[in-house]
Every structure is written in C-alpha cells, then in structure tokens.
Amino acid sequence: MKNESGASGKPVTEGARRASLVEPTAAGFVVLGISTGAWKTPFPPRRAERRQALASLSDRASALRGTPGVRAATVFSAILRPPGQPKAGEGPAAAYDVVLLVVTDSPAIARDIADAIAIESPAAAASDRLVLAGSNVRSMGPVSPGPGGVFLFNFFTGPTMQATLDAWQYTAGWFEQETRLDNSTVILPDAQSHSPFPIINHCRWNSLRQVLPSLMFKRSFRSFVLAAFSEAGVVPHPILYRVHS
C-alpha cells in the first residue's frame, strides 16, 4: 500500500489530537456477523436470506439474555456502507449485513459462547460468517445498546494490532471533534478466534445527521482520516447499523 504523508513530508498524524480515552471495561464480547450476499450499492440488499438471518439471530439473542454471565445480546441490521470503504486492490470489503453482539461478564465467558456457536453452526467458519470472542482494549466510553441510534462496526485490517490501534486513536480523535463522538468500544479478538481483523471498533451516534454529513462533505475526512489509515497500512471496513432486536 502506498505510504502517504502530508505536504510537508511529515506524518499526517504529527501533532494531531488523539481520542480521549477511559479505562477499558473488563467485559467480554462475542461478535457474530453474517453476510447474506454481495452488496452492489452502499445499501444492503433486501433478500429472504437476510430476513431469515435476522430472525435466527434474534432467537439466539433472546435465549442468550437468560444465560448467567451475559449482560446484553443485541442484533444489528445494516443500513449503509458509509464513505471510507476499501479501494480496489485492498481486498474484499466486510459485508456483514446482520450482526449479533453479546456482552458478557468476562472474556472467558465470551469464549465459551463463541465455542458453542461454532459447534452448533460449523458453517460459521465460512467466508460469509464471522464468529469471534474478545476483550475491550480501548474505550472512549460505553456504547448504549438502546434503539434509536446509529451504530458503527468498523472491521479493521492492518499490519499489526498496535499499528491499527494507533491509527484508530488518531482518527477517533477526529470523530470526537467533528461529530461529537463520546463513546467507543474497541474489541480485541482473542487468539483462538483467528480473526482476520486485528480490532473491531463499535460506537454509536444519535442519528445519521450527526455523522454522515461529516464523512461526505468535510475535506479533512479524506485529507486526515483516510490518509492516516493509508499511511499506517490500515484498511477500515465500516458499516452503519440500527438495532433490530
């Protein structure tokens, strides 16, 4: 990937503001993502497979909510791939139009749940599914799972976990300043997950109006945010969602 620097030849992030962080939670996380097919537009296609996946994960979430050690189980339905998608040649974009996020009392409990999902659904290892357990490695504040907001899952690929985290913290500082973002949970997949994504960022805005105009119209989104990712060799795969159940 081409390394990009500012006009002065200095790193794009030099002197930039990093995101304000709080102590990460000790909770565990399970992310179950399902891709029901290719997206030909920024909007996920409406198809029977998607309705079936939403119904299936809603049933699973309902059952998990009664499990000891589970704090929350939320199903998200994709609404939009925002600006900032991978360029041609940077690999296939993540296409998970249905996601189940489970928050547990500990990463060990999350691992047990992820293992159970893998046993029940052997196809979960296929390219159209993602199953991982992890912990919270960085936090800007808790993400409220209640309905009514717009939620981001950003599936990052990058050369190393640390390089990806560094790029995230600088770019999250931009979102904090430009979109008033005040929450974010960065999930670090455990080694047993064999995740293709070093980290997954999850956060919430109150509405599309709070975030989408900044991505579409602010020049600094490309000149700083996307340039910072490119400079670090990090590729974001962002998808916006609403709560389904």
Side-chain angles (χ1 to χ4, degrees):
M1 179 179 296
K2 181 180 178 180
N3 185 290
E4 298 180 4
S5 298
S8 65
K10 297 179 180 179
V12 172
T13 54
E14 184 169 312
R17 171 185 173 180
R18 287 175 174 247
S20 303
L21 301 180
V22 300
E23 190 70 21
T25 176
F29 298 85
V30 179
V31 178
L32 170 55
I34 298 177
S35 171
T36 63
W39 301 25
K40 295 183 179 180
T41 73
F43 305 97
R46 297 183 179 181
R47 49 167 69 102
E49 292 85 353
R50 187 164 188 248
R51 292 192 295 271
Q52 293 167 2
L54 286 168
S56 175
L57 291 196
S58 292
D59 289 344
R60 184 182 291 274
S62 180
L64 283 168
R65 291 181 192 122
T67 302
V70 172
R71 300 181 183 180
T74 308
V75 178
F76 297 89
S77 177
I79 57 173
L80 175 68
R81 270 187 177 147
Q85 297 299 316
K87 300 176 183 177
E90 291 182 329
Y96 307 114
D97 49 325
V98 180
V99 169
L100 168 62
L101 177 67
V102 185
V103 184
T104 67
D105 286 343
S106 70
I109 296 174
R111 168 43 50 195
D112 289 343
I113 292 173
D115 286 343
I117 291 173
I119 291 172
E120 295 170 13
S121 306
S127 60
D128 61 347
R129 292 188 180 231
L130 173 74
V131 179
L132 61 84
S135 57
N136 180 204
V137 67
R138 296 285 188 277
S139 176
M140 292 173 63
V143 182
S144 172
V150 174
F151 297 81
L152 171 73
F153 283 91
N154 203 337
F155 305 88
F156 289 101
T157 55
T160 65
M161 182 268 287
Q162 191 58 54
T164 311
L165 275 177
D166 288 343
W168 168 81
Q169 191 169 347
Y170 278 115
T171 57
W174 182 91
F175 281 96
E176 184 179 26
Q177 180 173 341
E178 301 295 337
T179 72
R180 299 183 180 180
L181 181 67
D182 61 0
N183 66 92
S184 179
T185 296
V186 181
I187 300 169
L188 176 68
D190 64 17
Q192 292 170 267
S193 295
H194 303 291
S195 171
F197 308 109
I199 61 172
I200 298 172
N201 180 42
H202 176 52
C203 60
R204 170 189 173 136
W205 291 272
N206 292 329
S207 68
L208 277 174
R209 291 193 301 272
Q210 192 178 355
V211 58
L212 197 57
S214 295
L215 304 185
M216 296 178 65
F217 303 121
K218 290 189 177 180
R219 292 183 179 181
S220 56
F221 174 66
R222 296 190 178 278
S223 64
F224 176 74
V225 175
L226 298 187
F229 284 137
S230 180
E231 186 173 75
V234 172
V235 180
H237 303 253
I239 302 176
L240 293 174
Y241 300 79
R242 292 197 189 278
V243 169
H244 177 76
S245 62

